[in-house]
């Protein structure tokens, strides 16, 4: 599958998680960061979004320890939480 098709599929999966909170956190993260990702980071995100939303959100918010396989620049960027769109 080419990169553009993969990105479109990932965007859909990032924004259609099942809860609005997870959509905003995971989808917002994807929208803010995906353009600069390497192929390896895209693959890592693909694996990450197979995890349960509550786990991903807990790792991002620091309420649970990040598993070893997800530690790195991708999760560090997710932990900043500065990408979550907030309606005002």
């Amino acid at each position: 599958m080419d990169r553009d098709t993969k990105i479109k599929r990932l965007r859909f999966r990032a924004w259609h998680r099942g809860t609005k909170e997870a959509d905003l956190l995971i989808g917002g993260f994807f929208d803010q960061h995906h353009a600069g990702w390497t192929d390896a980071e895209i693959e890592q995100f693909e694996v990450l979004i197979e995890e349960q939303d509550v786990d991903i959100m807990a790792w991002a918010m620091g309420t649970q320890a990040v598993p070893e396989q997800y530690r790195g620049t991708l999760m560090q960027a997710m932990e900043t939480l500065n990408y979550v769109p907030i309606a005002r």
Side-chain angles (χ1 to χ4, degrees):
M1 169 182 334
D2 65 58
R3 185 179 174 101
D4 288 338
T5 302
K6 188 178 282 194
I7 291 294
K8 287 176 186 176
R9 286 181 177 204
L10 286 174
R11 177 177 288 120
F12 181 86
R13 291 179 61 209
W15 277 103
H16 295 86
R17 303 299 299 179
T19 66
K20 187 66 172 176
E21 294 84 358
D23 291 350
L24 291 171
L25 189 139
I26 299 166
F29 175 75
F30 178 83
D31 284 353
Q32 184 73 31
H33 294 281
H34 80 275
W37 286 346
T38 64
D39 289 341
E41 289 170 318
I42 289 171
E43 289 177 23
Q44 185 179 17
F45 186 76
E46 280 183 293
V47 173
L48 174 68
I49 62 173
E50 292 299 320
E51 297 288 345
Q52 295 294 314
D53 293 346
V54 294
D55 293 330
I56 296 170
M57 293 173 70
W59 301 331
M61 292 184 286
T63 59
Q64 286 184 14
V66 177
E68 182 67 35
Q69 72 262 31
Y70 299 121
R71 291 184 191 156
T73 57
L74 194 71
M75 187 54 68
Q76 287 171 344
M78 187 174 272
E79 290 170 339
T80 66
L81 296 176
N82 65 354
Y83 51 83
V84 178
I86 299 172
R88 298 192 190 255

